[in-house]
Amino acid sequence: MNRIYLDNAATTPLDPKVLEAMLPYLTEQFGNPSSIHSFGRETRKAIEDARAVVAKEIGADAPNEIIFTGSGSESDNMAIKGVAMAYRDRGNHIITSAIEHHAVFDAAHALEKEGFRVTYLPVNAAGLVSVAELANQITDQTILVSVMHANNEVGTIQPIAEIGRILRERKILFHTDAVQTMGSIPVNVRDLSADLLSMAAHKFYGPKGVGALYVRKGVKLAQLIHGGAQERNRRAGTENIAGIAGLAKALQLANAGLAENQPRITGLRDYLIGRVLDGFDHVRLNGHRTQRLPGNANFSFEFIEGESLLLNLDLKGIAASSGSACTSGSLEPSHVLLAMGICHEIAHGSLRLTIGKSNTKEEIDYLLTVLPEIVTKLRDMSPLYNSSRKECATCTLKR
Amino acid sequence: MYTEKVMDHFQNPRNVGEIAAADGVGEVGNAVCGDIMKIFLKVKDGRIADIKFKTFGCGAAIATSSMVTEIVKGKTIEEALQVTNQAVANALDGLPPQKMHCSNLAADALHKAIEDYHNKHGK
Ligand SMILES: Cc1ncc(COP(=O)(O)O)c(C=O)c1O
Ligand code: FES
């Protein structure tokens, strides 16, 4: 069976050109970058070259504003906990949003246990935070604001540049989780006025297990991992040289391909969204209609449950994801959908399809031919369907 | 993550539907994840002559619903009352640990339907 991968927000395949850039550091160039001999010097150079590439790609002033990490989650934790602990004497208040990835969300929760006060900004039905509300929540105790560039589930892109401008004026540090936007839309730390920014290579056709954090010059960070002097004393541990080289190459390629890929992927997304909204009853689009990631389509099919939908799609060779409680491990529905005012029943039927650079219109058409039979089969099995063909009463959202 | 039996019942669920003039109907909602299962019974001479289900839930929820109907179809009410959640899970060659609560749904819905039958028929 032909398999169709529509889960590019979860991770992306490694670009063969990226693999090529990584291979020397998995084979002949094995030196420890901290060693002073020639073996060490060549891998040290690879890391510093990669750092310069990443700095340039995101508009940083200097290469040493880039810290390489082990994942997007680590970058987020380093930013949130690192700033909180370093600026503790200045204030104890942090502002973030209700729809952050768990790497930020749970790091903020952990800080609450340490005595910090955290404000979780609500979002509207489209998943947008209100800039005015954010400004309202600032106190003289506020040391850090963290709002994600785009949401991984519903794809909504936040007004980060506007938020960044306000915070720069108020002299409050600003972190943004750009894990989903990096390589998908232009990301520039100067345009966004970000002081800290997270990325993860595997979301833009790079390797898994490597990320980076941009930290603007002059921003202090408490260290999370103690030990050696790597990353200018900010993250101990012998570097993942192949991963770092891969991240830089992947970012370069992704940005070089933006002009072609961004409009093409956006076109496929809009085609998919249009066909699904026109073709099905009792379906809604989650997230903002236009202000969303190029590849993200997130629907809720009322009266059916997401895991059943995913299993049926998988049997047809299609890979997707869902915010349903039944798929979450914790058996809690997605906190993102709930924060957008979507009730449990509708969150249950959510289906996230995320398009990547190698997906084709033929693949979307194949999806569109198998989806109706699956939805019909599950609705025929659903005790909710015939009895209540009406608006969900508990949702604040209207279709 | 699911056994072949679970996937078989998920893909080809037995006894899906409703019974118009059912002798007993049982509905349970799952407090943990919010799923719903409904079982319809037709009873004749103390035996389950027909049984149908409707389920809004995950793969395990659908498979356990289907399995429980298959297990008790043709059985006496007394025999059906003996069917436990564990028995349903076992008949499916097991469920992933985090999904064990889904099998509670199936036997509970069956027992509720039998209770409804008893109430309606003055037992
Ligand atoms: C928005 C966002 N932040 C953080 C992460 C975590 O990245 P990683 O899986 O590399 O730790 C992800 C990926 O799932 C994400 O989508
Ligand atoms: S019914 Fe929700 S996890 Fe099984």
Side-chain angles (χ1 to χ4, degrees):
Chain A
M1 183 168 48
N2 242 351
R3 294 196 303 165
I4 296 177
Y5 188 73
L6 288 170
D7 200 13
N8 288 278
T11 195
T12 53
L14 191 71
D15 187 310
K17 290 199 198 87
V18 174
L19 175 63
E20 206 177 299
M22 294 171 68
L23 276 176
Y25 310 104
L26 294 167
T27 51
E28 68 269 20
Q29 299 199 36
F30 63 88
N32 188 321
S34 298
S35 303
I36 62 161
H37 46 60
S38 66
F39 293 84
R41 289 197 305 272
E42 62 193 20
T43 51
R44 164 62 47 209
K45 180 171 186 307
I47 291 175
E48 297 317 320
D49 287 352
R51 202 184 306 280
V53 166
V54 174
K56 178 165 174 290
E57 289 296 327
I58 66 169
D61 286 335
N64 62 25
E65 293 178 317
I66 307 298
I67 303 177
F68 290 114
T69 67
S71 63
S73 300
E74 187 188 331
S75 300
D76 285 341
N77 273 268
M78 186 184 278
I80 307 290
K81 295 180 193 164
V83 165
M85 293 306 176
Y87 290 86
R88 187 163 213 173
D89 55 344
R90 196 177 290 176
N92 74 338
H93 181 225
I94 293 164
I95 301 175
T96 184
S97 85
I99 60 162
E100 296 298 310
H101 186 273
H102 279 290
V104 168
F105 208 60
D106 293 357
H109 280 301
L111 287 175
E112 283 188 273
K113 294 211 177 78
E114 300 283 322
F116 287 89
R117 190 169 77 79
V118 181
T119 300
Y120 300 91
L121 292 172
V123 294
N124 68 11
L128 280 172
V129 301
S130 148
V131 181
E133 176 63 16
L134 190 158
N136 268 336
Q137 294 295 334
I138 296 173
T139 71
D140 59 0
Q141 286 292 304
T142 309
I143 51 173
L144 174 70
V145 174
S146 179
V147 176
M148 70 200 313
H149 196 185
N151 182 267
N152 44 302
E153 289 183 42
V154 297
T156 302
I157 300 174
Q158 303 294 342
I160 293 301
E162 206 184 323
I163 294 172
R165 248 190 329 271
I166 291 173
L167 295 172
R168 188 61 56 89
E169 248 167 52
R170 306 281 295 260
K171 297 193 166 55
I172 293 167
L173 293 178
F174 180 39
H175 166 253
T176 187
D177 174 342
V179 169
Q180 286 291 333
T181 47
M182 193 63 72
S184 284
I185 61 173
V187 177
N188 182 295
V189 293
R190 217 168 309 151
D191 296 347
L192 299 176
S193 304
D195 298 301
L196 303 108
L197 181 143
S198 305
M199 69 184 91
H202 71 105
K203 306 286 188 185
F204 46 88
Y205 308 91
K208 291 162 189 39
V210 60
L213 179 67
Y214 161 76
V215 185
R216 195 166 59 83
K217 186 166 181 283
V219 174
K220 289 185 290 179
L221 270 193
Q223 214 174 326
L224 295 189
I225 302 178
H226 295 88
Q230 289 91 353
E231 300 301 286
R232 297 175 64 243
N233 281 317
R234 290 177 295 187
R235 187 204 190 240
T238 299
E239 299 87 341
N240 173 6
I241 307 147
I244 289 168
L247 182 148
K249 183 69 180 180
L251 183 55
Q252 222 170 17
L253 290 172
N255 282 347
L258 267 186
E260 186 204 329
N261 288 323
Q262 192 184 341
R264 197 183 66 81
I265 292 171
T266 304
L268 284 178
R269 175 200 76 188
D270 288 340
Y271 172 68
L272 171 61
I273 289 175
R275 288 283 306 269
V276 168
L277 294 184
D278 285 348
F280 291 86
D281 284 339
H282 301 288
V283 68
R284 64 172 90 206
L285 179 71
N286 297 318
H288 197 279
R289 180 64 191 84
T290 53
Q291 214 170 305
R292 68 189 302 137
L293 286 168
N296 177 294
N298 187 315
F299 305 103
S300 276
F301 290 88
E302 295 179 38
F303 316 119
I304 61 182
E305 187 282 316
E307 190 204 89
S308 301
L309 201 51
L310 295 189
L311 287 171
N312 273 300
L313 285 170
D314 188 48
L315 289 165
K316 300 280 185 191
I318 299 169
S321 95
S322 169
S324 165
C326 301
T327 61
S328 75
S330 64
L331 299 179
E332 296 279 338
S334 143
H335 69 288
V336 175
L337 297 175
L338 296 186
M340 287 163 58
I342 292 169
C343 68
H344 280 59
E345 284 87 81
I346 308 290
H348 244 97
S350 79
L351 174 68
R352 182 186 74 175
L353 299 155
T354 45
I355 302 165
K357 66 177 179 180
S358 21
N359 291 119
T360 61
K361 178 161 179 297
E362 287 67 39
E363 290 179 327
I364 305 294
D365 283 330
Y366 172 70
L367 165 78
L368 289 166
T369 60
V370 303
L371 198 52
E373 40 185 292
I374 293 173
V375 169
T376 303
K377 177 181 166 183
L378 290 173
R379 280 184 177 165
D380 284 347
M381 220 187 282
S382 170
L384 301 175
Y385 190 45
N386 288 320
S387 55
S388 62
R389 282 178 191 250
K390 44 178 149 48
E391 292 287 336
C392 180
T394 41
C395 275
T396 59
L397 249 192
K398 285 285 158 263
R399 245 173 302 125
Chain B
M1 71 178 203
Y2 287 135
T3 65
E4 266 174 47
K5 277 210 181 135
V6 171
M7 285 311 289
D8 174 40
H9 276 264
F10 171 70
Q11 284 181 78
N12 312 294
R14 302 9 167 205
N15 307 308
V16 177
E18 299 184 9
I19 297 174
D23 295 320
V25 180
E27 180 173 322
V28 292
N30 186 325
V32 186
C33 59
D35 309 276
I36 297 165
M37 179 195 286
K38 217 167 168 177
I39 284 199
F40 304 82
L41 293 178
K42 196 87 200 161
V43 181
K44 210 171 174 184
D45 305 329
R47 282 188 186 273
I48 297 177
D50 198 9
I51 179 166
K52 295 230 182 285
F53 82 89
K54 283 211 158 175
T55 290
F56 165 73
C58 71
I62 290 172
T64 51
S65 313
S66 167
M67 181 51 98
V68 87
T69 64
E70 198 174 69
I71 291 174
V72 303
K73 198 167 182 176
K75 291 236 161 78
T76 65
I77 293 289
E78 285 66 37
E79 287 166 333
L81 281 170
Q82 304 302 313
V83 174
T84 62
N85 309 315
Q86 190 61 47
V88 176
N90 291 350
L92 289 164
D93 294 339
L95 291 170
Q98 81 275 20
K99 296 286 184 179
M100 278 308 288
H101 74 277
C102 308
S103 69
N104 289 336
L105 217 54
D108 291 356
L110 170 69
H111 296 157
K112 274 206 173 166
I114 293 174
E115 197 181 303
D116 182 49
Y117 163 73
H118 281 154
N119 289 340
K120 279 183 186 159
H121 295 79
K123 285 210 188 171

